[in-house]
Amino acid sequence: MLQAKRDRVIIIGAGPAGLTAGAELAAAGYNVTILEKDPEYVGGIARTVRYGKFRFDIGGHRFFSKNPEITEWWRRRLPGEFLKVRRLSRILYRGRYFDYPLKPLNAFRNLGFWTSARCLASYAFAKISPVRPEVSFQDWVSNRFGRELFSIFFKTYTEKVWGIPCTQISVDWAAQRINNLSVARAIANSLRPKIFPSKEVIKTLIDNFEYPRLGPGMMWEKTRDDILAAGGRIEMGQNVVAINASGDKVSSVVSRNASGCEKTWDADFFIATCPLRETVLGFNPPLPLPAREAAERLRYRSFITIALMIGRTEVFPGQWIYVHSPEVKLGRIQNFNNWSPSMVPAGMTCLGLEYFCDEGDGFWNAPDGELIETAKEELEILGISKPGEVIDAAVVRMPKAYPVYMPNYAEAVKIIRRELEPFANFQVIGRNGMHKYNNQDHAMMTALFAARNIQGGKLDVWRVNADAEYMEEGNAGS
């Protein structure tokens, strides 16, 4: 039996982090209100868009975690609704498909003898004379794969995603997103299990994952419903524009709807999942100048998903393709038939073409019709489909999807953390809330800890690592 409603909690944002915290606190009897900027969808970047009889993701979202608590949380929320999906992801480069994660024999066969020889020589040189210290993404990858493989398989795609040279991307990005991956491990993984059996799980190399039958939005829509059933509120179309503080506490937040009407929300506790830059610059009275200057230095990358509906079922195998071909702007292609057949009508294919850009730039502001024509033309250039096969299309813009790891980002976040720490009833969590580009299991774990802190816990959400584990003075624990 739930205890009586007690302290009021305001949560900014109904993405995976905000909804996870909301579900935990509502179930514990707290008076929870979630303020979500989007007028229709919950789930943030993990939403599933509905377009007629089609469903498609804003990017693909694998459900895999090394943390058993998160896995159990998912399964308890959607019992019997997960599909077991055999992963197939590939890189498209110079008209050839390469396995990803890289499998050396496949890669060298496609590259040809001379290019492969250059790659091996470059790899050997990197082992003998690595870049020290490692400062950038380019340094990190080149040290583990060689400069030649870096140029072929990492540089073009990464610069499409971030819109800046790889030398300007912090080494943290590589260490976090492709942690533990190297040529040696890739070879061992390709020969496993006969020759190199291992119990170690490297996220980059997993062959199978779970996926909700109707997409990741199914998880977060169910979580929304559970919050409402427990007496919580989710207010859609409410953009938080101010965070009011008094002394060492936050007292209220102010939201604005699409009509420009503002409303003040009082509470006892506050959790923010919105971009960290917006959080800092929204404080009233303003935070000290160093924090505001640090927030101004934080950058975000946005992207656009163009969903193309094609009148045949067999377009390409697997779930997604990373497009390294420099002749197109397209960065990645999702094939939603191969995530879950239930998301696409029979006899059809839904492809999600992902374009990375900056909010407000020329591509972002282009008319939908122009974007759709670009997407159709680029699929033809890549030899995947012809424009006449596309029978319908939709465009979805996702602002501030990725926090950018500029070389100075860590110092900026450190300054901000120091200025936010005195506010005892205020926590930031999740990917954008903490400016940490991690997966949804990490975002969820920070949310669980924030909820436990409100219930009297003393957990540091910043010590949740990329594998959604809690770091106790450098050691991963439960």
Side-chain angles (χ1 to χ4, degrees):
M1 181 177 178
L2 293 178
Q3 55 189 308
K5 291 276 191 290
R6 49 186 195 204
D7 292 332
R8 300 164 298 167
V9 182
I10 293 290
I11 299 173
I12 304 171
L19 290 169
T20 299
E24 293 296 305
L25 291 167
Y30 285 82
N31 185 346
V32 173
T33 299
I34 300 179
L35 306 176
E36 169 54 42
K37 182 177 181 179
D38 192 273
E40 180 180 2
Y41 288 101
V42 298
I45 198 173
R47 72 184 65 181
T48 298
V49 176
R50 295 178 295 278
Y51 182 78
K53 295 182 179 180
F54 294 86
R55 289 173 176 257
F56 60 90
D57 297 355
I58 307 303
H61 293 274
R62 297 178 296 168
F63 279 68
F64 174 84
S65 180
K66 294 171 72 172
N67 188 313
E69 181 176 6
I70 296 298
T71 301
E72 194 277 332
W73 199 97
W74 285 333
R75 290 174 178 166
R76 185 176 72 249
R77 194 72 55 187
L78 290 178
E81 292 286 3
F82 279 100
L83 306 177
K84 192 78 169 181
V85 181
R86 176 74 177 176
R87 170 183 174 172
L88 175 59
S89 55
R90 296 177 297 164
I91 292 169
L92 179 56
Y93 175 73
R94 292 184 177 175
R96 293 181 178 271
Y97 289 94
F98 296 78
D99 294 331
Y100 186 79
L102 295 175
K103 295 179 180 177
L105 294 179
N106 166 266
F108 294 149
R109 187 186 310 117
N110 278 334
L111 289 172
F113 177 79
W114 292 111
T115 302
S116 297
R118 289 199 305 271
C119 290
L120 290 172
S122 174
Y123 174 69
F125 181 78
K127 296 294 101 179
I128 295 169
S129 182
V131 178
R132 292 288 185 260
E134 291 179 345
V135 175
S136 68
F137 176 89
Q138 178 171 306
D139 297 340
W140 194 99
V141 176
S142 296
N143 281 349
R144 286 155 184 79
F145 292 87
R147 182 63 64 88
E148 194 74 19
L149 280 173
F150 160 76
S151 298
I152 294 171
F153 291 116
F154 294 91
K155 185 178 188 295
T156 303
Y157 178 77
T158 302
E159 291 183 352
K160 282 185 182 183
V161 173
W162 298 112
I164 55 177
C166 289
T167 54
Q168 295 180 25
I169 301 171
S170 170
V171 68
D172 294 355
W173 164 250
Q176 180 176 298
R177 298 300 291 183
I178 48 179
N179 182 36
N180 292 328
L181 185 60
S182 65
V183 169
R185 287 178 181 269
I187 292 172
N189 186 74
S190 67
L191 296 175
R192 202 174 281 139
K194 292 183 179 180
I195 300 177
F196 295 104
S198 173
K199 294 182 179 180
E200 182 184 9
V201 177
I202 301 174
K203 281 187 176 183
T204 312
L205 298 175
I206 63 167
D207 295 324
N208 296 279
F209 59 89
E210 293 186 324
Y211 187 77
R213 182 176 57 86
L214 297 177
M218 186 182 190
M219 170 67 66
W220 303 115
E221 290 162 12
K222 176 60 166 61
T223 305
R224 171 201 61 197
D225 295 344
D226 290 346
I227 293 170
L228 297 176
R233 300 167 62 189
I234 300 180
E235 300 288 338
M236 305 298 292
Q238 294 291 338
N239 180 31
V240 172
V241 295
I243 300 171
N244 298 322
S246 177
D248 63 352
K249 288 189 175 182
V250 171
S251 57
S252 64
V253 298
V254 180
S255 69
R256 182 182 299 143
N257 64 19
S259 301
C261 297
E262 294 188 352
K263 183 173 181 179
T264 299
W265 307 81
D266 301 317
D268 302 291
F269 296 96
F270 299 82
I271 297 174
T273 72
C274 53
L276 187 57
R277 183 172 68 191
E278 294 180 6
T279 295
V280 172
L281 299 180
F283 261 77
N284 177 37
L287 292 178
L289 182 60
R292 302 199 308 274
E293 290 178 339
E296 293 283 7
R297 294 200 298 271
L298 298 180
R299 287 191 55 196
Y300 301 85
R301 189 71 163 157
S302 303
F303 78 89
I304 297 174
T305 294
I306 303 173
L308 300 183
M309 292 71 180
I310 297 173
R312 57 186 168 100
T313 55
E314 300 297 327
V315 177
F316 64 79
Q319 292 81 42
W320 66 97
I321 297 171
Y322 296 96
V323 182
H324 288 221
S325 305
E327 66 269 22
V328 296
K329 185 176 177 62
L330 175 60
R332 190 169 62 172
I333 312 171
Q334 308 282 348
N335 187 337
F336 294 110
N337 298 48
N338 298 332
W339 288 84
S340 170
S342 299
M343 296 173 69
V344 181
M348 301 289 294
T349 289
C350 180
L351 300 182
L353 282 67
E354 298 175 14
Y355 290 87
F356 307 98
C357 56
D358 291 322
E359 187 178 0
D361 68 12
F363 196 83
W364 178 271
N365 289 330
D368 287 1
E370 182 179 318
L371 295 175
I372 291 167
E373 289 305 311
T374 296
K376 292 193 291 187
E377 290 167 6
E378 293 198 343
L379 278 191
E380 184 175 31
I381 290 170
L382 298 173
I384 293 175
S385 72
K386 295 187 178 298
E389 295 183 279
V390 178
I391 63 173
D392 204 353
V395 176
V396 178
R397 292 168 176 81
M398 194 71 197
K400 298 182 178 65
Y402 303 148
V404 178
Y405 280 23
M406 301 289 288
N408 62 353
Y409 92 97
E411 180 61 28
V413 171
K414 183 179 179 180
I415 292 169
I416 291 168
R417 286 177 58 184
R418 184 171 63 241
E419 297 298 342
L420 290 179
E421 191 172 344
F423 297 99
N425 67 336
F426 182 81
Q427 300 178 85
V428 293
I429 60 171
R431 173 185 286 188
N432 271 346
M434 304 170 75
H435 206 83
K436 294 181 72 172
Y437 186 3
N438 282 320
N439 295 321
Q440 65 177 344
D441 62 334
H442 170 274
M444 292 173 63
M445 205 67 215
T446 63
L448 292 177
F449 285 178
R452 290 165 189 169
N453 287 340
I454 288 175
Q455 297 174 77
K458 300 293 182 182
L459 295 163
D460 182 357
V461 298
W462 293 94
R463 297 193 69 83
V464 177
N465 70 6
D467 291 322
E469 297 171 324
Y470 192 62
M471 302 300 292
E472 292 284 4
E473 299 304 325
N475 297 317
S478 61

